[in-house]
Amino acid sequence: MAGIKFEQVWKRFAEVTVLKDLNIDIGDGEFLVLVGPSGCGKSTALRCLAGLEEISEGNIWIGDRVVNDVPPKDRDIAMVFQSYALYPHMSVYDNMAFGLKLRKVARQEIEQRVKEAAEMLSIGHLLDRKPKALSGGQRQRVALGRAIVRDPSVFLMDEPLSNLDAKLRVQTRAEISKLHQRLKTTFIYVTHDQTEALTMGTRIAVMRDGILQQLDTPQNLYDQPQNMFVAGFIGSPAMNFFEAKLEQANGGLAVVVGNEFVVPVPKSKATKIGSHIGKSVSFGIRPEDIHDADYIPRGVDENARLTTMVNVIEPMGSEVYAYIESSGKEFIGRLDPRTSARTGQHVEIVLNMDKMHLFDRETEKALV
């Protein structure tokens, strides 16, 4: 097992800079997820770590050695790709054993490793089958098994679940998390799916345009995003944002979005943002912090009330997504399923301002 370190890593392709001064320290046995939109540099960072791309500047450490000039085969890593990359003419057993045979591992040890990995992944009964006789989920488990038998210091996974359907994705996601707990090896996982990131990672690195935006635990990313990009990327549905002003009202502070959209700021937060009175800010509130006034959860202050127009209702069973409008601004709330909100009607809502977010309009950095 080994820790990983990206130290001021840059990667350029001709005139295009894909990674910009990337610094990440990954602990031994950690499950780190690199997440971000397409083109943000997350897969390039993984390929640089694997040795499939040369870095332009900086150092990459695996354990206590710099591996900039170390060939991929000598980095003691195993990689699982989006495509399963199985040999179609080989059985499951031979696919899993192939890498060990190339390394001249003894036949008895190969057999033991393959069987142990197959049982771990519940594919022991499939060892004689060819890949064409397997489902997508089974093929992905074979690809995982091929990586496991090598017993590497680091597992690298590049969007391994994106070819699976929704149900299989959830199931395989849980299997990978169990695998990490069992092996206690360093895992680095790349995805654009923030749900995968939140549910699997011990820490998450959010990237944008080759720049690391925030590196933190899933809960801290959700509760304390450092900028608007992280706030909008983490959470589903995404956080609602409004152009607003901070003004004094009724002896305190209020967020003013429009004539009808004025909500008080809790005293606990007002002391931190008093210097922004009269200034333009970006106000953020998550859909789950918007409640039907008739069904307010215990502990939520009822002062921040708005009367809104309902544009669209999406019943989800355990909750209702309501697309609502106030002062010409449409936003989304996740309401109690008992809500009486109906399309084309008015509904009174309460915003949980203890969970509010404020950002500087110019820098997009968090103020609260």
Side-chain angles (χ1 to χ4, degrees):
M1 293 192 290
I4 305 291
K5 188 175 183 180
F6 288 85
E7 186 177 61
Q8 298 177 323
V9 172
W10 292 72
K11 174 61 183 174
R12 301 181 184 90
F13 293 99
E15 301 299 316
V16 179
T17 303
V18 182
L19 295 177
K20 304 171 185 176
D21 196 24
L22 183 62
N23 291 279
I24 302 178
D25 204 338
I26 305 162
D28 185 10
E30 186 173 1
F31 196 131
L32 181 94
V33 179
L34 294 171
V35 69
S38 297
C40 71
K42 56 190 185 297
S43 290
T44 300
L46 203 71
R47 291 175 63 83
C48 289
L49 175 56
L52 303 177
E53 300 284 357
E54 289 186 10
I55 62 175
S56 304
E57 290 179 39
N59 292 309
I60 294 179
W61 297 72
I62 298 179
D64 56 0
R65 65 172 179 161
V66 176
V67 296
N68 296 8
D69 300 318
V70 177
K73 66 183 180 65
D74 297 326
R75 295 194 181 195
D76 195 18
I77 58 171
M79 195 159 182
V80 180
F81 297 92
Q82 179 177 342
S83 61
Y84 314 124
L86 302 178
Y87 296 108
H89 63 288
M90 291 184 182
S91 67
V92 168
Y93 180 94
D94 289 332
N95 265 285
M96 293 173 66
F98 187 68
L100 298 179
K101 289 177 180 176
L102 289 180
R103 287 169 175 75
K104 305 282 194 294
V105 176
R107 181 182 296 179
Q108 189 173 353
E109 186 177 349
I110 291 175
E111 188 172 329
Q112 180 182 344
R113 286 200 201 179
V114 169
K115 286 186 176 178
E116 285 178 358
E119 291 304 316
M120 193 182 300
L121 296 166
S122 302
I123 53 174
H125 60 295
L126 304 175
L127 291 177
D128 295 329
R129 291 193 192 178
K130 298 284 178 63
K132 66 181 180 181
L134 303 177
S135 68
Q138 290 168 337
R139 291 179 195 179
Q140 193 57 277
R141 277 183 274 176
V142 175
L144 283 169
R146 182 177 54 193
I148 292 169
V149 296
R150 291 184 52 196
D151 192 24
S153 296
V154 183
F155 283 93
L156 308 180
M157 300 189 179
D158 191 1
E159 304 203 29
L161 309 184
S162 55
N163 287 338
L164 305 180
D165 62 45
K167 186 176 181 181
L168 260 180
R169 204 154 49 233
V170 172
Q171 179 184 334
T172 312
R173 191 170 75 202
E175 287 175 356
I176 291 175
S177 294
K178 289 177 188 173
L179 192 61
H180 173 253
Q181 293 167 14
R182 194 175 304 174
L183 297 177
K184 296 185 176 8
T185 307
T186 307
F187 277 49
I188 303 177
Y189 188 101
V190 162
T191 182
H192 63 274
D193 185 334
Q194 53 97 14
T195 303
E196 282 182 22
L198 287 171
T199 53
M200 299 175 76
T202 50
R203 284 194 305 161
I204 301 171
V206 183
M207 297 185 66
R208 179 191 190 188
D209 298 333
I211 300 172
L212 179 65
Q213 300 293 305
Q214 187 171 346
L215 175 61
D216 217 325
T217 62
Q219 198 61 49
N220 282 346
L221 284 175
Y222 180 85
D223 291 334
Q224 301 163 15
Q226 291 179 2
N227 58 45
M228 283 182 67
F229 177 79
V230 175
F233 195 84
I234 299 295
S236 180
M239 184 183 290
N240 299 295
F241 293 108
F242 307 89
E243 292 184 1
K245 273 193 173 182
L246 269 181
E247 296 185 0
Q248 290 182 322
N250 300 322
L253 289 184
V255 172
V256 180
V257 177
N259 293 333
E260 300 170 357
F261 195 144
V262 180
V263 284
V265 175
K267 290 181 180 179
S268 60
K269 296 186 181 292
T271 55
K272 301 175 184 177
I273 55 176
S275 60
H276 287 76
I277 295 173
K279 295 182 181 179
S280 295
V281 294
S282 292
F283 167 60
I285 189 83
R286 294 195 183 278
E288 47 269 40
D289 297 321
I290 298 173
H291 307 286
D292 186 322
D294 291 333
Y295 301 101
I296 305 170
R298 187 177 299 172
V300 174
D301 192 325
E302 301 182 20
N303 289 332
R305 287 175 175 260
L306 292 174
T307 299
T308 63
M309 171 61 74
V310 181
N311 292 334
V312 177
I313 287 290
E314 292 181 345
M316 305 296 288
S318 61
E319 59 194 358
V320 170
Y321 290 179
Y323 293 81
I324 49 185
E325 186 177 319
S326 177
S327 295
K329 309 289 184 183
E330 187 178 75
F331 50 105
I332 181 172
R334 291 171 61 175
L335 308 184
D336 189 287
R338 296 169 293 176
T339 182
S340 58
R342 296 294 180 267
T343 301
Q345 297 180 1
H346 288 91
V347 63
E348 190 176 26
I349 61 166
V350 170
L351 299 154
N352 183 0
M353 294 296 283
D354 286 326
K355 300 289 184 70
M356 66 173 280
H357 298 266
L358 280 185
F359 305 90
D360 185 280
R361 184 76 65 82
E362 293 182 4
T363 65
E364 297 191 348
K365 290 185 177 179
L367 301 176
V368 179

